[in-house]
C-alpha cells in the first residue's frame, strides 16, 4: 500500500474515473472522490493530498451557472501548479487548467467524438508520463468527446500531443501537471450513456451513437492496455511526489 491520497473531482453523474480509478486503487492509492454536482464540498487547499485528478463533463470551463463549483476547481489547479503537485486534467479538466493558468479555451471548429489518432510532438518522447507509452507501443489512439478545446496554451506549457482536428491534445506545466483533451479513463461501456444523451449533437456531426461505441469496443483491449499503463505511470508519480505522504510511502509496483 502506498498510502498516497488523490483528490478526484467528478463534475456530473456518469463521468467518473472508470478504469483510471481502478488502476490507481490497485496500486494502493487512496481515492477521495468529490462530487460537487451531488452536494460534496471541495477542499479549500490540497494540503492533504498527494495528487489531483480533475475529470470531464458536459459543461464548459466558464459555465459557472450550471456548475458553481468551477471557480474553486480552478483555484485548486493553480495551487497544484504552484506546488508542482502531480496533477491530471482530463477533457473539461484540461480546459479548466488552461483558463486557470492564463490560457484560452474556445468552441472547437471541428469537435472530436469517438476514437481518434494522437500525434506526439518531439517533447513527448522525453516526457516522464508519455515517453514510456511511446516506447512500448506505437499505437496511439484514444476516445474523444469534446466540443471545446484549448486555443492558447498557458505561458510555459509544453505541448506534447496533437491531432488532425485539435492542436492541443496534451501539454505539461512544470514537471508534474498535465492536461489531456482526450479521455484515457473510458472504455466502450463508459461512453454508452454519453452517446444516448448526445444523440442530436452526434447526428449533427454525421455520427451514430451505436457506431461510436462499437468502434471503441472493437479496440477495447488496446485501450485498456495503453491507457491503463498511462494511469499506472501517473499513479507512480503521485506515490513518489512531493505530497504529504512522501516520507511514509513504499515503492508502488507496476502491473506488467
Amino acid at each position: 500500500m502506498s498510502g498516497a491520497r488523490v483528490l478526484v473531482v467528478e463534475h456530473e453523474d456518469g463521468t467518473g474515473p472508470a478504469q483510471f480509478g481502478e488502476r490507481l486503487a490497485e496500486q494502493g492509492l487512496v481515492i477521495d472522490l468529490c462530487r460537487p454536482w451531488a452536494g460534496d464540498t471541495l477542499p479549500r487547499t490540497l494540503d492533504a493530498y498527494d495528487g489531483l485528478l480533475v475529470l470531464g463533463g458536459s459543461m464548459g470551463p466558464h459555465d459557472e451557472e450550471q456548475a458553481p463549483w468551477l471557480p474553486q476547481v480552478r483555484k485548486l489547479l493553480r495551487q497544484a501548479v504552484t506546488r508542482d503537485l502531480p496533477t491530471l486534467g482530463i477533457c473539461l479538466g484540461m480546459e479548466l487548467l488552461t483558463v486557470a493558468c492564463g490560457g484560452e479555451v474556445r468552441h472547437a471548429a471541428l469537435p472530436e467524438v469517438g476514437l481518434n489518432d494522437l500525434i506526439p510532438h518531439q517533447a513527448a518522447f522525453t516526457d516522464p508520463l508519455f515517453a514510456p507509452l511511446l516506447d512500448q507501443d506505437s499505437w496511439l489512439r484514444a476516445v474523444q468527446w469534446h466540443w471545446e478545446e484549448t486555443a492558447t496554451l498557458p505561458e510555459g506549457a509544453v505541448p506534447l500531443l496533437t491531432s488532425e482536428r485539435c492542436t492541443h491534445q496534451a501539454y505539461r506545466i512544470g514537471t508534474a501537471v498535465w492536461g489531456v483533451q482526450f479521455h484515457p479513463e473510458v472504455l466502450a461501456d463508459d461512453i454508452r450513456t454519453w452517446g444516448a444523451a448526445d444523440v442530436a449533437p452526434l447526428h449533427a456531426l454525421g455520427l451514430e451513437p451505436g457506431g461510436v461505441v462499437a468502434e471503441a469496443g472493437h479496440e477495447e483491449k488496446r485501450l485498456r492496455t495503453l491507457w491503463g499503463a498511462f494511469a499506472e505511470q501517473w499513479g507512480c508519480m503521485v506515490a513518489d511526489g512531493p505530497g504529504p505522504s512522501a516520507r511514509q510511502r513504499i515503492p508502488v509496483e507496476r502491473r506488467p
Side-chain angles (χ1 to χ4, degrees):
M1 297 288 288
S2 77
R5 183 175 294 273
V6 179
L7 174 63
V8 180
V9 181
E10 181 185 290
H11 294 285
E12 62 185 336
D13 194 16
T15 61
Q19 75 153 340
F20 211 98
E22 293 171 6
R23 294 297 183 100
L24 297 182
E26 288 172 4
Q27 288 178 292
L29 276 70
V30 179
I31 296 174
D32 186 351
L33 182 59
C34 185
R35 294 170 163 161
W37 62 269
D40 293 347
T41 301
L42 285 162
R44 293 176 60 85
T45 75
L46 296 170
D47 292 348
Y49 297 100
D50 302 277
L52 173 63
L53 175 62
V54 181
L55 300 169
S58 60
M59 64 286 292
H62 296 292
D63 289 343
E64 295 167 17
E65 290 188 6
Q66 180 182 352
W69 59 86
L70 294 183
Q72 179 58 23
V73 177
R74 293 196 296 267
K75 288 180 182 179
L76 291 173
L77 286 164
R78 284 192 290 270
Q79 285 184 31
V81 170
T82 298
R83 301 178 185 197
D84 209 24
L85 187 77
T87 296
L88 181 65
I90 294 175
C91 200
L92 171 62
M94 171 173 161
E95 295 160 12
L96 287 164
L97 177 64
T98 296
V99 298
C101 297
E104 297 180 14
V105 170
R106 66 187 174 199
H107 188 75
L110 296 170
E112 292 178 305
V113 177
L115 203 59
N116 284 300
D117 293 322
L118 300 169
I119 304 166
H121 292 296
Q122 191 60 40
F125 290 92
T126 56
D127 181 78
L129 185 56
F130 283 98
L133 306 183
L134 300 174
D135 290 343
Q136 293 170 9
D137 193 350
S138 60
W139 188 89
L140 197 62
R141 306 189 81 194
V143 173
Q144 307 275 0
W145 208 285
H146 68 98
W147 278 259
E148 298 197 39
E149 64 184 9
T150 292
T152 305
L153 291 176
E155 184 177 356
V158 178
L160 299 170
L161 300 178
T162 186
S163 70
E164 184 178 345
R165 291 189 173 192
C166 179
T167 301
H168 302 299
Q169 282 287 347
Y171 66 82
R172 187 187 71 247
I173 300 177
T175 67
V177 177
W178 287 269
V180 297
Q181 187 64 70
F182 55 93
H183 285 276
E185 81 281 19
V186 298
L187 300 169
D189 282 346
D190 301 306
I191 64 172
R192 199 177 305 277
T193 56
W194 299 3
D198 287 342
V199 172
L202 292 186
H203 283 173
L205 296 176
L207 298 171
E208 288 293 336
V212 173
V213 174
E215 185 183 21
H218 181 71
E219 298 289 3
E220 181 124 332
K221 184 176 180 180
R222 281 178 158 181
L223 290 169
R224 188 182 296 276
T225 299
L226 177 65
W227 300 116
F230 178 81
E232 291 178 5
Q233 180 72 4
W234 188 76
C236 288
M237 294 175 178
V238 172
D240 294 337
S245 303
R247 289 185 294 241
Q248 304 173 26
R249 302 183 195 127
I250 59 174
V252 177
E253 295 184 2
R254 293 191 61 193
R255 176 185 295 183

